């Protein structure tokens, strides 16, 4: 019995000394529970919407107020022409475009059916389904109200014509497969990089580098290049499976996709290298990697639309590289857009890479700690 107590004392003493692991064990579940509890919402509301109102009449404003009063649409942009509407949807600034024709008010006053066009970005199936269903419901309800006011009119007052773009059939694979590529790269780059470097430190293999004149940044570059190659191999295999097995269309330039993927790979590697400089054991590196991986899956827009998240969670999701890469890969693969539409995302990933790599290089020590 005394031996068991001695072992227990030793284990508890060792756990007490490893404060970082203890902190991770208690803090990670608490933070994730609070974060995901507030962030994960399946009911999509406040969908960013752009309006192109060619009628500029009380009738068009009345129907637009009905859209906003539903809580599902939030007019964040006003377009001056049709091209601005399509450009904002392509760039991902908005998810829905509402277009009133010039003769809208005249048709309403004459008792004829007034057409309204609603363009929906269907690359996010959850958002598009909510927008399409709500737009059609608003058109039906408002038409019924007009029919009640004007007895004897049996034709619908409003003709809401919804056009889902990019994935009109709502095929789940088109939406999920490109995003899964980002998850695979995040998992590989962050976990393998962080644990690989920590494992070398634990085994003592870094000792051989301590006696060489190699500089810190040279050592870091030498260690991350193989993982960059590995990331590109994973992307290639995953794209082939997506096209051959799931018939996912690639509407944009593969060359641009591969070039812009480099920014995401290096940003993910920067996180892994930073974790390897903080963690002292492989267990700590794994726990920290999961702390990065789970928010990447749940907050980046991979599984749940960011439009349904509280404002503060949206800001937090901007600190996740995958958030920007999902816009890039879905934009190129499903929308067929080019680099000019994705400059904000590329700049954000470049800043991520520079900051993370700089901090990692400064923190890296060419000595046994």
């Amino acid at each position: 019995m005394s031996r068991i107590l001695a072992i227990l004392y030793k284990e508890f003493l060792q756990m007490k000394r490893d404060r970082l692991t203890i902190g991770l064990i208690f803090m990670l579940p608490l933070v994730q529970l609070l974060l995901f509890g507030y962030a994960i919402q399946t009911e999509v509301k406040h969908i960013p919407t752009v309006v192109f109102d060619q009628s500029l009449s009380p009738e068009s404003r009345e129907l637009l107020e009905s859209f906003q009063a539903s809580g599902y649409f939030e007019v964040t942009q006003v377009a001056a022409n049709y091209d601005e509407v399509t450009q904002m949807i392509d760039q991902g600034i908005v998810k829905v475009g509402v277009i009133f024709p010039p003769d809208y008010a005249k048709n309403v006053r004459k008792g004829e059916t007034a057409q309204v066009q609603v363009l929906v970005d269907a690359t996010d199936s959850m958002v598009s389904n909510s927008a399409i269903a709500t737009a059609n419901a608003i058109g039906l309800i408002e038409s019924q109200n007009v029919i009640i006011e004007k007895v004897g009119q049996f034709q619908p007052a409003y003709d809401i014509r919804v056009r889902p773009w990019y994935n009109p059939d709502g095929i789940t694979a088109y939406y999920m497969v490109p995003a899964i590529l980002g998850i695979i790269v995040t998992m590989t780059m962050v976990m393998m990089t962080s644990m690989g470097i920590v494992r070398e430190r634990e085994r003592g293999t870094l000792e051989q580098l301590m006696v060489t004149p190699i500089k810190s940044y040279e050592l870091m570059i030498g260690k991350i290049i193989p993982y960059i190659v590995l990331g590109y191999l994973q992307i290639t295999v995953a794209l082939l499976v997506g096209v051959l097995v799931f018939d996912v269309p690639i509407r944009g330039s593969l060359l641009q996709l591969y070039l812009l993927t480099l920014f995401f790979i290096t940003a993910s590697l920067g996180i892994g290298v930073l974790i390897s400089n903080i963690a002292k054991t492989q267990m700590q590196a794994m726990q920290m990697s999961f702390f990065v991986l789970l928010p990447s899956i749940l907050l980046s827009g991979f599984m749940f639309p960011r439009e349904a998240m509280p404002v503060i969670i949206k800001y937090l999701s901007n600190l996740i590289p995958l958030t920007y890469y999902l816009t890039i890969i879905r934009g190129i693969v499903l929308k067929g857009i080019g680099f000019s539409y994705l400059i904000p995302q590329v700049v954000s990933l470049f800043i991520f890479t520079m900051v993370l790599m700089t901090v990692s290089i400064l923190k890296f020590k060419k000595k046994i700690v």
Side-chain angles (χ1 to χ4, degrees):
M1 187 68 180
S2 59
R3 295 178 180 178
I4 296 176
L5 292 175
I7 294 174
L8 287 175
Y9 175 76
K10 180 188 76 67
E11 291 298 324
F12 280 114
L13 184 61
Q14 186 173 350
M15 290 175 61
K16 180 181 178 181
R17 291 173 178 172
D18 193 358
R19 296 181 179 179
L20 181 57
T21 300
I22 295 297
L24 291 172
I25 290 173
F26 284 99
M27 291 302 298
L28 289 185
L30 178 61
V31 172
Q32 291 173 354
L33 179 62
L34 294 175
L35 190 62
F36 302 152
Y38 282 109
I40 298 174
Q41 301 287 337
T42 56
E43 186 181 18
V44 184
K45 289 191 174 183
H46 305 291
I47 303 173
T49 303
V50 58
V51 175
F52 176 32
D53 189 355
Q54 302 172 82
S55 176
L56 296 175
S57 61
E59 288 78 7
S60 63
R61 288 194 293 271
E62 181 180 355
L63 184 60
L64 187 60
E65 288 174 359
S66 298
F67 272 80
Q68 295 191 88
S70 68
Y72 287 87
F73 301 93
E74 182 176 349
V75 178
T76 58
Q77 303 289 335
V78 176
N81 52 61
Y82 188 86
D83 290 337
E84 285 189 11
V85 176
T86 59
Q87 186 176 9
M88 289 180 188
I89 295 177
D90 286 339
Q91 289 180 328
I93 298 174
V94 297
K95 294 292 184 181
V96 176
V98 180
I99 302 173
F100 292 93
D103 58 352
Y104 173 81
K106 182 180 69 174
N107 292 334
V108 172
R109 293 164 187 166
K110 290 172 60 178
E112 299 178 355
T113 300
Q115 295 182 357
V116 179
Q117 188 176 37
V118 178
L119 306 179
V120 180
D121 182 353
T123 56
D124 188 328
S125 58
M126 194 175 295
V127 174
S128 64
N129 290 339
S130 178
I132 292 171
T134 306
N136 287 325
I138 291 173
L140 180 61
I141 293 172
E142 292 300 317
S143 294
Q144 290 175 344
N145 293 336
V146 172
I147 291 174
I148 293 173
E149 293 176 2
K150 299 179 179 180
V151 180
Q153 178 181 332
F154 296 101
Q155 63 179 359
Y158 302 108
D159 181 11
I160 307 295
R161 300 195 174 186
V162 182
R163 293 179 56 191
W165 281 3
Y166 315 121
N167 186 13
D169 297 327
I171 300 175
T172 304
Y174 291 4
Y175 167 69
M176 292 299 295
V177 170
I180 291 173
L181 268 65
I183 293 295
I184 292 172
V185 172
T186 300
M187 185 183 303
T188 304
M189 298 299 103
V190 175
M191 294 188 67
M192 291 188 63
T193 305
S194 60
M195 294 185 64
I197 296 177
V198 173
R199 182 171 57 249
E200 287 192 24
R201 185 182 295 119
E202 287 183 339
R203 292 177 178 177
T205 55
L206 287 177
E207 292 180 354
Q208 299 176 4
L209 298 174
M210 303 308 160
V211 296
T212 64
I214 190 171
K215 297 181 180 179
S216 297
Y217 73 89
E218 294 173 335
L219 178 60
M220 303 302 293
I221 292 174
K223 285 191 171 295
I224 66 174
I225 287 179
Y227 291 103
I228 293 177
V229 175
L230 178 61
Y232 273 115
L233 289 175
Q234 287 185 316
I235 288 289
T236 302
V237 172
L239 282 175
L240 287 174
V241 172
V243 172
L244 298 178
V245 178
F246 298 101
D247 295 323
V248 176
I250 300 180
R251 301 188 174 104
S253 169
L254 271 178
L255 177 60
Q256 286 193 0
L257 176 59
Y258 272 75
L259 289 175
L260 300 186
T261 296
L262 177 62
F263 293 93
F264 174 61
I265 291 177
T266 52
S268 300
L269 284 173
I271 297 175
V273 173
L274 182 61
I275 290 175
S276 70
N277 281 283
I278 298 174
K280 296 181 180 180
T281 65
Q282 293 186 64
M283 180 60 69
Q284 291 178 359
M286 180 180 294
Q287 290 176 327
M288 292 181 185
S289 298
F290 276 115
F291 186 68
V292 173
L293 184 61
L294 286 177
S296 296
I297 294 175
L298 299 175
L299 304 184
S300 63
F302 168 71
M303 292 184 63
F304 303 97
R306 297 178 66 233
E307 288 76 14
M309 299 177 185
V311 176
I312 187 171
I313 302 298
K314 287 183 182 179
Y315 285 117
L316 289 176
S317 67
N318 290 332
L319 301 176
I320 301 173
L322 184 60
T323 300
Y324 304 98
Y325 186 65
L326 290 183
T327 302
I328 292 174
I329 192 168
R330 284 172 174 162
I332 294 177
V333 172
L334 298 180
K335 296 182 180 180
I337 59 179
F339 175 76
S340 60
Y341 289 88
L342 300 170
I343 291 177
Q345 287 74 26
V346 175
V347 171
S348 299
L349 289 176
F350 179 75
I351 293 174
F352 264 108
T353 301
M354 292 295 101
V355 172
L356 291 171
M357 287 298 181
T358 301
V359 173
S360 298
I361 291 172
L362 294 176
K363 190 173 180 60
F364 184 76
K365 303 293 185 180
K366 283 180 48 180
K367 63 181 180 180
I368 303 296
V369 294

